[in-house]
Amino acid sequence: MNISKKSITSIFKPYLNVKDGYKGGKPIVAAKEGQKVYKLSSNENPVGTSPKAIDAIKKHLTNLHIYPDTTDIHLRESLVTYYDKQLNIDQFLCAASGSELIDILIRGFIREEDEVIISTPCFVPYRMFSQWSGAKVVDVPLTDKEYELDVNGILKAINSKTRIVFLTSPNNPTGTYIPKVTLENLIKEIPSNIIVVFDEVYWHFADAPDYVKAINYLEKYPNIIAINSFSKTYGLAALRVGYAYTSIEIANYLRQICKPFLISKLSLEGAIAALKDTTFIAETIRVVKTERKFIQNEFDKLNINYTPSQANFFLLDPPINDIKFTELMRNEGIAVRPVKNFGAAGKVRISIGNREANKAMLHALARILGKLTN
Ligand SMILES: Cc1ncc(COP(=O)(O)O)c(C=O)c1O
């Protein structure tokens, strides 16, 4: 049978034709032969991977022909310990990355025409996955310069079709956080039949005195879902594993739409070991905070515009076009990320690396700025 292209495309869902999708950091290619390239484009762990996780993975390499556990139960047991038994095992839900958890909860709650509230600049998958479900995405942008949450704007945007409000703290790509008072003022006004997603994948790096985590609010607001990832502090980005915690009712509801064998055996074992590697976790936090201060000082000396960060990256306002700036940095061996598709046109995100990478980045930046003023 000869099927025309038109009849095929007529069955495509129009809302799946998402432009400007999230593509992640590009693979690293050196601009010149033999050049060392520093990847500061995907907010990865500057220390590397938990050695305990690597050992655990190696131990399980011989049994790859056996399916993993059908459930995430052992990882959830480890999470209960990690959270000092403040949460019940049934409040956790694990999946093959934080991004996948975002997809699962959208699939669980969104019907076509429902509304989802995001505040740009923010992590692209909130918008993208919502659109994949046929939702209308309502953007209530963060304020202009300080990137604060527009609490009144969000409350005004809420209507009978609103299903999910996305909050991120610390936020990607701005590195800003939601202060306790702001969060409390907002969540107390959000109707309980709306899901509040509190994405806290960078929480270990936040040290502002009024930084708060979702766990403090779960009892009062069972409509909160916290998103966490093993890609950042635990250095397991390649394994793709993350977890959420929420009320038992929501976790058990979403569990029903998790595919069996969702998380690979190596990811499960790596994540369980990484949670116990307190030395590695502490070292990661120490390096990020030390390097953050170091970079901030150097940025000040270079007189470059940036947003103070509570995460393991900085949002920079380069004095030249973002794409040109990214290209010049790439020529110097530094991979950074323009974040127009996050909603921050003209800005560039630079991850915090180890001291060697940060010095190389600052050196490249100084050279580029120097050339501009000469
Ligand atoms: C704000 C935010 N949420 C969630 C994620 C998802 O992380 P992953 O899918 O690697 O677990 C990321 C990753 O960069 C992020 O920046």
Side-chain angles (χ1 to χ4, degrees), residues 97-99 123 126 168 172 199 201-202 229 231-232 240:
S97 76
S99 304
F123 190 46
Y126 308 152
T168 321
N172 177 9
D199 185 334
V201 307
Y202 299 101
S229 170
S231 301
K232 310 298 172 186
R240 313 308 298 128

Side-chain angles (χ1 to χ4, degrees), residues 280-292:
F280 180 81
I281 295 170
E283 177 61 3
T284 296
I285 297 170
R286 186 193 69 75
V287 169
V288 167
K289 289 186 182 172
T290 310
E291 293 305 300
R292 192 163 66 195

Side-chain angles (χ1 to χ4, degrees), residues 22 42-44 95-102 122-126 129 167-173 199-202 227-232 236-238 240-243 312-313 337 342 349:
Y22 180 68
S42 298
N43 304 341
E44 288 142 346
S97 76
S99 304
E100 172 135 47
L101 283 155
I102 294 165
C122 66
F123 190 46
V124 178
Y126 308 152
F129 299 173
L167 307 176
T168 321
S169 183
N171 184 45
N172 177 9
D199 185 334
E200 52 187 28
V201 307
Y202 299 101
I227 300 293
N228 282 267
S229 170
F230 283 91
S231 301
K232 310 298 172 186
L236 297 177
R240 313 308 298 128
V241 53
Y243 69 92
N312 66 336
F313 53 84
R337 186 86 184 268
F342 290 63
R349 194 190 65 199

Side-chain angles (χ1 to χ4, degrees), residues 192-342:
S192 58
N193 62 348
I194 293 176
I195 297 294
V196 177
V197 176
F198 194 85
D199 185 334
E200 52 187 28
V201 307
Y202 299 101
W203 73 268
H204 290 93
F205 309 134
D207 53 12
D210 55 349
Y211 175 78
V212 274
K213 286 197 74 197
I215 191 167
N216 305 314
Y217 299 96
L218 258 189
E219 215 166 289
K220 198 162 175 196
Y221 305 105
N223 50 329
I224 293 180
I225 303 179
I227 300 293
N228 282 267
S229 170
F230 283 91
S231 301
K232 310 298 172 186
T233 311
Y234 311 96
L236 297 177
L239 286 191
R240 313 308 298 128
V241 53
Y243 69 92
Y245 61 81
T246 177
S247 51
I248 292 179
E249 292 74 16
I250 290 181
N252 283 338
Y253 167 66
L254 292 177
R255 223 181 297 289
Q256 299 175 93
I257 56 163
C258 289
K259 296 164 202 149
F261 309 114
L262 177 63
I263 312 173
S264 82
K265 177 74 176 167
L266 300 185
S267 303
L268 283 168
E269 295 299 336
I272 289 169
L275 276 179
K276 293 185 188 134
D277 197 345
T278 46
T279 312
F280 180 81
I281 295 170
E283 177 61 3
T284 296
I285 297 170
R286 186 193 69 75
V287 169
V288 167
K289 289 186 182 172
T290 310
E291 293 305 300
R292 192 163 66 195
K293 257 193 215 138
F294 169 68
I295 295 175
Q296 184 157 342
N297 267 335
E298 298 300 314
F299 277 171
D300 287 340
K301 285 187 209 159
L302 291 170
N303 213 7
I304 185 130
N305 287 329
Y306 66 92
T307 306
S309 174
Q310 285 284 293
N312 66 336
F313 53 84
F314 279 98
L315 186 69
L316 217 70
D317 191 1
I320 50 169
N321 171 280
D322 53 334
I323 304 300
K324 183 77 197 151
F325 177 79
T326 303
E327 199 184 301
L328 291 175
M329 289 293 272
R330 179 54 74 97
N331 291 342
E332 298 278 345
I334 312 292
V336 301
R337 186 86 184 268
V339 280
K340 181 176 172 208
N341 62 338
F342 290 63

Side-chain angles (χ1 to χ4, degrees), residues 81-239:
T81 309
Y82 188 71
Y83 278 85
D84 286 334
K85 301 194 178 152
Q86 291 176 80
L87 295 166
N88 181 294
I89 193 161
D90 291 327
Q91 290 184 269
F92 290 104
L93 182 74
C94 305
S97 76
S99 304
E100 172 135 47
L101 283 155
I102 294 165
D103 184 47
I104 290 169
L105 71 91
I106 288 171
R107 278 196 286 118
F109 291 109
I110 295 297
R111 297 175 182 86
E112 274 182 51
E113 311 290 322
D114 281 348
E115 294 188 7
V116 164
I117 297 180
I118 63 169
S119 294
T120 59
C122 66
F123 190 46
V124 178
Y126 308 152
R127 177 196 290 277
M128 195 166 79
F129 299 173
S130 299
Q131 287 174 337
W132 287 352
S133 287
K136 179 178 166 203
V137 177
V138 178
D139 184 11
V140 182
L142 301 178
T143 60
D144 225 12
K145 285 203 176 69
E146 310 295 332
Y147 295 121
E148 283 163 6
L149 209 57
D150 178 0
V151 171
N152 288 335
I154 292 176
L155 294 176
K156 267 194 215 140
I158 287 177
N159 62 41
S160 61
K161 288 185 172 177
T162 310
R163 288 286 159 272
I164 300 177
V165 176
F166 278 100
L167 307 176
T168 321
S169 183
N171 184 45
N172 177 9
T174 60
T176 49
Y177 71 105
I178 305 172
K180 185 173 193 273
V181 181
T182 311
L183 181 71
E184 290 178 357
N185 284 343
L186 177 62
I187 52 176
K188 72 172 195 269
E189 300 298 337
I190 296 181
S192 58
N193 62 348
I194 293 176
I195 297 294
V196 177
V197 176
F198 194 85
D199 185 334
E200 52 187 28
V201 307
Y202 299 101
W203 73 268
H204 290 93
F205 309 134
D207 53 12
D210 55 349
Y211 175 78
V212 274
K213 286 197 74 197
I215 191 167
N216 305 314
Y217 299 96
L218 258 189
E219 215 166 289
K220 198 162 175 196
Y221 305 105
N223 50 329
I224 293 180
I225 303 179
I227 300 293
N228 282 267
S229 170
F230 283 91
S231 301
K232 310 298 172 186
T233 311
Y234 311 96
L236 297 177
L239 286 191

